Amino acid sequence: GAGVSQSPRYKVAKRGQDVALRCDPISGHVSLFWYQQALGQGPEFLTYFQNEAQLDKSGLPSDRFFAERPEGSVSTLKIQRTQQEDSAVYLCASSLSRGSNQPQHFGDGTRLSIL
Amino acid sequence: AQTVTQSQPEMSVQEAETVTLSCTYDTSESNYYLFWYKQPPSRQMILVIRQEAYKQQNATENRFSVNFQKAAKSFSLKISDSQLGDTAMYFCAFMSLKAAGNKLTFGGGTRVLVKP
């Protein structure tokens, strides 16, 4: 596709359920990022992949959060045993390479609501 | 760790007028990038403008320009000839060139409302 695609656009889950959020980056983009955006706040970094390698997961808030990108393309962010504080918009971004002159292209995000 | 602060939660401006959004940041690094992103209700973050810290000349992109004051660690965005389509959240962001993957650190955002 022309841009970064995220699915689902909206997800509602009950507290304690597991959820999986998908990100399709722009074809050929090496770098992939996940951010969490709480209501009324700026996005916060969660994790970063270069191809299939997860090089930085310092922003993951707990061990309930897990991300993967097994073939260096599509990425999935999984949240286990969801809690109300996990409610947020989850944004995915990709860039062509690690280079500092490569802008990050963002998807429309997945709005996760935990009841 | 770097921090980015946007002190104006909301700004309103009349169509065709000019509005300036403020941003300050804290870092011990000497080389980095700064960005302004626009986020309309559709939620997609759109890059508005970027500035390389080692360049003294302020960046401009059509109606958007920045005032980069490196010593003061200030990076303001000026929107000239405001249009209704400029209504959105605006986020200032910092990119370290030392971190793996060049992750972005965002400020809390400023909501801009352009009035007809």
Side-chain angles (χ1 to χ4, degrees):
Chain A
V4 177
S5 177
Q6 291 188 246
S7 60
R9 186 160 173 81
Y10 300 93
K11 176 70 178 176
V12 179
K14 293 182 179 178
R15 188 177 58 171
Q17 289 183 329
D18 298 347
V19 299
L21 312 179
R22 177 187 171 103
C23 173
D24 280 272
I26 294 172
S27 179
H29 277 199
V30 168
S31 297
L32 185 145
F33 305 81
W34 283 98
Y35 295 87
Q36 179 190 58
Q37 185 176 19
L39 185 64
Q41 298 183 22
E44 292 190 354
F45 170 80
L46 292 177
T47 188
Y48 159 67
F49 289 86
Q50 184 174 313
N51 294 308
E52 69 279 3
Q54 189 175 20
L55 300 184
D56 187 348
K57 52 182 180 179
S58 62
L60 296 177
S62 76
D63 58 7
R64 296 186 296 104
F65 286 71
F66 172 76
E68 60 183 6
R69 194 186 185 197
E71 297 179 359
S73 178
V74 171
S75 177
T76 303
L77 176 67
K78 298 179 179 178
I79 309 174
Q80 297 176 325
R81 305 181 304 281
T82 53
Q83 300 178 5
Q84 283 194 321
E85 61 262 31
D86 299 336
S87 295
V89 172
Y90 290 84
L91 295 170
C92 177
S94 69
S95 65
L96 189 58
S97 68
R98 186 194 177 280
S100 57
N101 62 344
Q102 299 296 328
Q104 293 184 24
H105 300 265
F106 284 80
D108 289 345
T110 294
R111 181 179 297 279
L112 175 64
S113 298
I114 305 299
L115 305 178
Chain B
Q2 290 81 19
T3 58
V4 178
T5 302
Q6 295 178 247
S7 59
Q8 304 152 312
E10 188 166 326
M11 300 280 285
S12 62
V13 59
Q14 291 295 132
E15 196 174 6
E17 301 280 304
T18 295
V19 63
T20 300
L21 311 183
S22 66
C23 172
T24 58
Y25 58 95
D26 187 25
T27 184
S28 58
E29 299 178 20
S30 59
N31 197 17
Y32 45 86
Y33 277 74
L34 294 164
F35 302 84
W36 279 97
Y37 278 89
K38 170 185 177 181
Q39 187 178 43
S42 66
R43 298 202 303 258
Q44 186 179 37
M45 299 287 279
I46 302 166
L47 177 63
V48 174
I49 198 167
R50 68 178 174 182
Q51 175 78 41
E52 301 165 60
Y54 60 86
K55 287 190 175 180
Q56 292 185 341
Q57 185 174 6
N58 288 322
T60 62
E61 284 288 341
N62 300 314
R63 298 182 294 106
F64 299 88
S65 62
V66 299
N67 183 4
F68 174 48
Q69 302 290 327
K70 191 173 183 179
K73 296 181 182 175
S74 170
F75 183 60
S76 62
L77 173 70
K78 184 170 77 172
I79 307 174
S80 304
D81 185 25
S82 298
Q83 301 176 1
L84 296 179
D86 295 334
T87 292
M89 285 291 293
Y90 287 80
F91 292 96
C92 178
F94 174 98
M95 177 192 284
S96 166
L97 297 183
K98 291 184 177 181
N102 301 332
K103 63 186 178 185
L104 296 169
T105 300
F106 289 88
T110 296
R111 184 179 304 278
V112 172
L113 176 62
V114 180
K115 299 179 178 179

